[in-house]
Amino acid sequence: RHVKYRNTVNKDDTVIVVVGNEKISVVTYGLAMSEGQLGDMITVKNIKSDHNFKAIIIDEKKVTPLTNM
């Protein structure tokens, strides 16, 4: 049997980008350039700057950017 998994992020989805710690966090929006599931690394485009960056999927349509990549 083939098992199909539902992606938590699909290509061209608008995703929430979250970075921070317990004391402060910054939230913005990005555009998923690929699809993936929880824990996957995908490429995201910052909607305001058109800059692409790598991010990890942490929840449905929510990612956190990788630092020093």
Side-chain angles (χ1 to χ4, degrees):
R1 292 185 182 212
H2 295 283
V3 178
K4 286 193 172 186
Y5 293 98
R6 188 173 71 88
N7 291 323
T8 48
V9 173
N10 293 302
K11 184 175 182 195
D12 295 327
D13 277 351
T14 298
V15 294
I16 298 170
V17 181
V18 181
V19 63
N21 57 35
E22 302 83 35
K23 295 184 180 191
I24 189 168
S25 64
V26 177
V27 178
T28 189
Y29 292 94
L31 183 67
M33 304 306 290
S34 56
E35 61 186 27
Q37 299 172 1
L38 189 66
D40 287 349
M41 181 174 62
I42 62 169
T43 301
V44 176
K45 179 185 276 191
N46 182 312
I47 293 173
K48 292 181 181 179
S49 70
D50 278 344
H51 175 76
N52 288 346
F53 58 93
K54 300 287 185 190
I56 301 291
I57 301 172
I58 59 172
D59 202 351
E60 189 159 348
K61 301 194 186 327
K62 188 182 287 187
V63 300
T64 187
L66 292 177
T67 55
N68 300 325
M69 292 296 291

